[in-house]
């Protein structure tokens, strides 16, 4: 080997470790590489497990049907009165009664062909009076009685919806105080009488006061939904002995 080549090789190997240290250094580098690869495999496995668990949770609780805990809103609660869906007459009468803190419920016998009867109770469950509703057919017209002259006919009030009506307040008899409204739908003569009566036999004008005012009774009687709450064939036209006895009777013309 020439002197020049020897000098070049010596210069190139100046930065290399001594021959005796080369093998251990190579082994250490290889060991570090194996550890790094092992950690990468373990980390990849943990990520895969986490993804599988998350995917299983999503499929079980979101995509697949299963039993779900009932919310508190789904717990049935006692109803203070029958459903308005089942009793459309009551859906008209109940709001003003509820607004006073009373309850209104069917009073047996609560219903018949052309009439309904309801009891009103106060917050303590004590009787507060009755509300009775009866329907009639009066296509030829209606004579609305005059309190001072029973044989005369009064000029009715009229709503914008084409319903004529008259209000009556009979409070002279403390044992039978009545607020009554008779309302007739002009287009077909369908007529409704709503009578609110205070608790009878109390001997007290205060205790026997009707549970609804004449204004509240008029609002119910002129409600378009009230006559439609009865069947087409229902009516209290005479002879109809089972219908309520009204303080102010309904007198269809013709």
């Amino acid at each position: 080997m020439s002197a020049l080549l020897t000098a070049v090789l010596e210069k190139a190997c100046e930065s290399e470790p001594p021959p005796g240290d080369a093998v251990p250094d190579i082994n250490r580098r290889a060991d570090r590489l194996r550890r790094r690869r092992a950690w990468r495999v373990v980390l990849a496995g943990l990520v895969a497990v986490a993804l599988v668990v998350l995917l299983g949770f999503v499929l079980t609780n979101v995509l697949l049907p299963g039993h779900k805990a009932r919310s508190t809103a789904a717990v049935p609660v006692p109803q203070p009165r029958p459903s308005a869906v089942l009793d459309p007459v009551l859906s008209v009468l109940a709001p003003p009664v509820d607004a006073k803190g009373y309850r209104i419920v069917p009073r047996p016998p609560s219903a018949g062909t052309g009439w309904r009867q309801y009891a009103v109770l106060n917050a303590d469950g004590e009787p507060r009076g009755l509300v009775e509703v009866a329907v009639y057919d009066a296509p030829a017209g209606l004579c609305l009685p005059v309190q001072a002259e029973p044989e005369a006919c009064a000029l009715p009030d009229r709503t914008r919806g084409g319903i004529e009506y008259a209000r009556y307040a009979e409070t002279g008899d403390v044992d039978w105080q009545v607020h009554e409204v008779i309302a007739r739908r002009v287009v077909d003569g369908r007529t409704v009488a709503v009578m609110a009566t205070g608790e009878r036999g109390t001997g007290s004008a205060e205790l026997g006061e009707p549970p609804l005012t004449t204004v509240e009774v008029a609002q119910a009687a002129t409600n378009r939904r009230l006559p439609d709450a009865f069947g087409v064939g229902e009516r209290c036209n005479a002879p109809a002995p089972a219908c309520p006895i009204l303080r102010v009777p309904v007198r269809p013309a013709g």
Side-chain angles (χ1 to χ4, degrees):
M1 182 180 297
S2 65
L4 179 60
L5 181 58
T6 299
V8 171
L9 290 175
E10 288 178 351
K11 186 174 182 179
C13 295
E14 286 179 356
S15 61
E16 292 297 324
D21 297 333
V23 173
D25 185 62
I26 292 173
N27 290 335
R28 284 193 298 272
R29 292 182 181 180
D31 187 54
R32 285 196 297 270
L33 288 175
R34 284 195 298 270
R35 287 198 298 269
R36 289 176 183 174
R37 290 172 181 173
W39 276 112
R40 289 173 183 172
V41 172
V42 171
L43 183 60
L46 292 175
V47 172
V49 171
L51 290 175
V52 170
V53 172
L54 180 61
L55 181 61
F57 176 81
V58 171
L59 290 175
T60 301
N61 293 276
V62 178
L63 300 180
L64 298 180
H67 175 74
K68 294 184 179 180
R70 297 176 63 189
S71 67
T72 55
V75 177
V77 295
Q79 297 296 319
R81 61 182 187 274
S83 168
V85 175
L86 299 178
D87 191 342
V89 175
L90 194 59
S91 71
V92 176
L93 300 177
V97 175
D98 292 346
K100 298 182 179 184
Y102 299 154
R103 292 189 299 128
I104 181 168
V105 296
R107 176 179 174 177
S110 60
T113 302
W115 60 274
R116 306 288 186 269
Q117 178 176 256
Y118 304 93
V120 177
L121 308 174
N122 64 17
D124 297 325
E126 299 169 340
R128 188 64 183 78
L130 293 177
V131 178
E132 297 171 279
V133 183
V135 295
Y136 301 80
D137 288 334
L142 188 68
C143 177
L144 296 170
V146 179
Q147 289 178 288
E149 300 179 29
E151 300 301 322
C153 297
L155 293 176
D157 293 318
R158 185 184 291 262
T159 69
R160 293 181 179 179
I163 297 177
E164 56 184 23
Y165 68 98
R167 297 183 292 183
Y168 303 94
E170 293 281 355
T171 58
D173 184 352
V174 295
D175 286 328
W176 193 19
Q177 299 184 68
V178 173
H179 292 160
E180 181 182 343
V181 173
I182 301 173
R184 176 180 176 270
R185 190 165 57 192
V186 177
V187 66
D188 60 0
R190 192 66 160 165
T191 301
V192 176
V194 180
M195 184 173 71
T197 304
E199 191 64 17
R200 300 181 68 173
T202 62
S204 167
E206 181 179 357
L207 295 177
E209 183 182 2
L212 296 176
T213 66
T214 53
V215 172
E216 292 167 336
V217 175
Q219 290 172 344
T222 57
N223 189 311
R224 291 185 176 184
R225 294 185 290 128
L226 192 58
D228 293 334
F230 291 84
V232 175
E234 291 193 78
R235 61 181 185 175
C236 279
N237 294 58
C243 290
I245 298 175
L246 301 175
R247 185 67 178 266
V248 179
V250 174
R251 299 192 313 210

